[in-house]
Amino acid sequence: MSITGVNGAGQRRPTMKEVAARAGVALKTVSRVVNEEPNVSPELTAKVQAAIKELNYTPNESARMLRRGRTGTIAVVIRDIGDPFFASLGRAVELWARGSGSVVMIGLTDEDPERERDVCLEFVARRPDALIMAPIGETQDYLAPHVDAGMAVVTIDRPAHGIEADAVLADNAGGIDQAIDHLVRQGHRRIAYLGDDERIFTARERVVAYRAAMARHRIEVDEDLVHLSEPTTEGIGITLSAVLDRPEPATALLSANNMTTAEVLRGMAGRRDRVALVSFDDLALGDLLSPGLTAVAQSADVMARTAIQLMTERLPEPHRPGRTVRVPVKLTIRGSGEIPPS
C-alpha cells in the first residue's frame, strides 16, 4: 500500500493543486510563490499564502531543492568526533544547518587516507551541496569530477590537493612562535617538542615553525627532544621518559595538539609543578588544573563559521579560484608555562 501524500498523523497532505483551487489562482502561480520566484503580484501572493495557511500545506522540500539543483545536504568528514576540536567543528556546522533547513552527514576518517576516500565517495554519491572536510590523504583528486559538477568543497584545519577548494587554517606558525617566545622569556632553552604524526598537515607546519622559532632565538635544536607520533598513553609515557629522565632533561615541553596534551598531563602526574608546559590547543578544563594550563587557543567555532561563510559564497560560484583564510590564535597564560627552569 502506498503512503505517498500521507502525513505523520495519517492524514492526507494537501496538494499544490488544492492550494491553487482554494486561492483561485493558476497552479503555476502557487509554484512561483512557494519557490519565491519574482513576477507575482502582492495581491496574488497574499491569496496563495492565505490558502497555504488554511490548508496547512507543506511544500516538498526535497523536490523543491532538486528543481533548484540542490539537495539541502552538507557532508562533513573529520578525524574523530572524540577529538574536542573536531567535535566543536561538527557541532558548529550542525547548528548552522539546523537554522538553515539543511541536513548534515558526518563521517570519520581516523586519519586513514583510504578511509577518507571511501567516506567522501560514499557521501558524494548522495549529491550533497557541499563537503567540509579535514583531509589526511596526499591528494583529494578523486573528488575532481564532483567539484567540476558544481559541488562546493571547503577544507578545515588542512588544505586539499588535486582539487579547487577553499581552506580555513589556523595560524600554526604564529601560535608556535608565541609559545616558544613565551618559554624563552621564562628562561628556558631546553624545550622539548611533542607533536603528532607528520602525515598530518598541522603536525608538519607546527614542527617546522618550532625549528624556525628556536633558530630565531639562536637555540640549537636537540633532536632527542623532538618526538612526533600518534598520541597514545603508552607512546607519550615513553616520550616523557626520553625527554625528562636524561642527564640533560628538557626544562619545558611544547605539546603540539590537545590529544597529546591530555596524555602529557596524565603522564606527568607528580612532577607537573617542576616542568613548564605550553599546549597548542586548549583543553575544556585547562583553567581548573593546578597549575592552570598555558595554551595557544584556536577557536573551532570561528573556524567553522569561516568555513560555512566560504561554503555559502562558493555555492553560487563553484568554479571560482580557491581561497585560504588563516584564523588567528591566542596564547592564554595560566601558570603551567610560567614555571622557571630548575
Side-chain angles (χ1 to χ4, degrees):
M1 178 179 68
S2 172
I3 59 171
T4 301
V6 178
N7 66 21
Q11 298 174 325
R12 189 180 65 81
R13 291 192 182 97
T15 65
M16 193 179 290
K17 186 175 181 180
E18 289 170 329
V19 172
R22 176 66 64 92
V25 301
L27 182 61
K28 183 63 176 177
T29 301
V30 177
S31 176
R32 285 175 174 166
V33 172
V34 167
N35 289 293
E36 301 175 357
E37 296 177 11
N39 304 322
V40 181
S41 70
E43 181 183 359
L44 291 181
T45 298
K47 286 184 177 181
V48 171
Q49 290 173 340
I52 286 174
K53 185 175 181 179
E54 290 172 14
L55 294 173
N56 196 25
Y57 170 75
T58 303
N60 184 329
E61 287 296 324
S62 295
R64 187 176 166 192
M65 288 179 176
L66 283 170
R67 281 194 296 272
R68 294 179 174 180
R70 302 277 175 83
T71 62
T73 304
I74 308 298
V76 177
V77 178
I78 54 179
R79 169 183 184 163
D80 179 5
I81 203 70
D83 182 319
F85 176 73
F86 287 113
S88 296
L89 289 175
R91 176 168 175 75
V93 175
E94 164 63 25
L95 288 174
W96 171 85
R98 194 183 304 172
S100 68
S102 299
V103 175
V104 177
M105 304 182 291
I106 297 182
L108 310 179
T109 67
D110 296 322
E111 300 293 26
D112 181 342
E114 290 301 316
R115 176 66 182 157
E116 172 200 297
R117 180 188 178 94
D118 290 346
V119 170
C120 285
L121 290 178
E122 184 176 323
F123 278 177
V124 299
R126 290 166 168 76
R127 296 181 58 199
D129 299 327
L131 170 64
I132 298 175
M133 66 183 300
I136 180 61
E138 292 183 2
T139 180
Q140 285 69 50
D141 58 3
Y142 56 86
L143 292 173
H146 306 280
V147 173
D148 291 344
M151 182 181 71
V153 176
V154 179
T155 68
I156 201 160
D157 199 44
R158 311 141 188 199
H161 300 282
I163 57 172
E164 199 69 62
D166 296 321
V168 181
L169 311 176
D171 182 10
N172 293 305
I176 294 295
D177 282 350
Q178 291 180 56
I180 294 296
D181 290 352
H182 183 70
L183 289 170
V184 171
R185 283 195 298 269
Q186 312 309 309
H188 295 282
R189 295 184 67 83
R190 292 191 58 76
I191 304 170
Y193 180 88
L194 282 58
D196 211 335
D197 190 325
E198 277 194 289
R199 293 179 306 158
I200 301 170
F201 170 80
T202 50
R204 293 195 303 274
E205 274 209 334
R206 291 172 192 175
V207 72
V208 168
Y210 161 78
R211 295 182 187 281
M214 294 286 277
R216 181 163 47 79
H217 286 285
R218 295 182 172 82
I219 301 174
E220 185 176 352
V221 174
D222 182 344
E223 294 300 333
D224 289 336
L225 298 183
V226 179
H227 292 262
L228 305 173
S229 62
E230 184 180 354
T232 64
T233 300
E234 181 181 7
I236 295 301
I238 293 172
T239 295
L240 288 174
S241 179
V243 301
L244 298 178
D245 301 331
R246 55 188 295 118
E248 292 186 278
T251 61
L253 306 177
L254 174 51
S255 175
N257 62 78
N258 56 12
M259 303 295 277
T260 296
T261 299
E263 296 300 339
V264 166
L265 291 170
R266 181 177 288 112
M268 286 180 63
R271 51 181 172 184
R272 286 191 47 226
D273 58 347
R274 301 197 299 272
V275 181
L277 170 65
V278 175
S279 171
F280 195 117
D281 277 348
D282 205 353
L283 299 183
L285 301 179
D287 59 328
L288 300 181
L289 299 172
S290 182
L293 180 65
T294 295
V296 175
Q298 55 177 340
S299 173
D301 184 60
V302 170
M303 293 181 75
R305 284 190 278 112
T306 303
I308 290 165
Q309 179 182 342
L310 290 174
M311 177 193 74
T312 56
E313 291 173 358
R314 176 166 284 277
L315 281 170
E317 299 181 83
H319 303 298
R320 67 169 171 77
R323 293 168 53 194
T324 297
V325 177
R326 287 276 182 178
V327 176
V329 297
K330 180 182 179 181
L331 180 69
T332 302
I333 297 172
R334 299 197 185 105
S336 70
E338 294 67 67
I339 298 172
S342 56

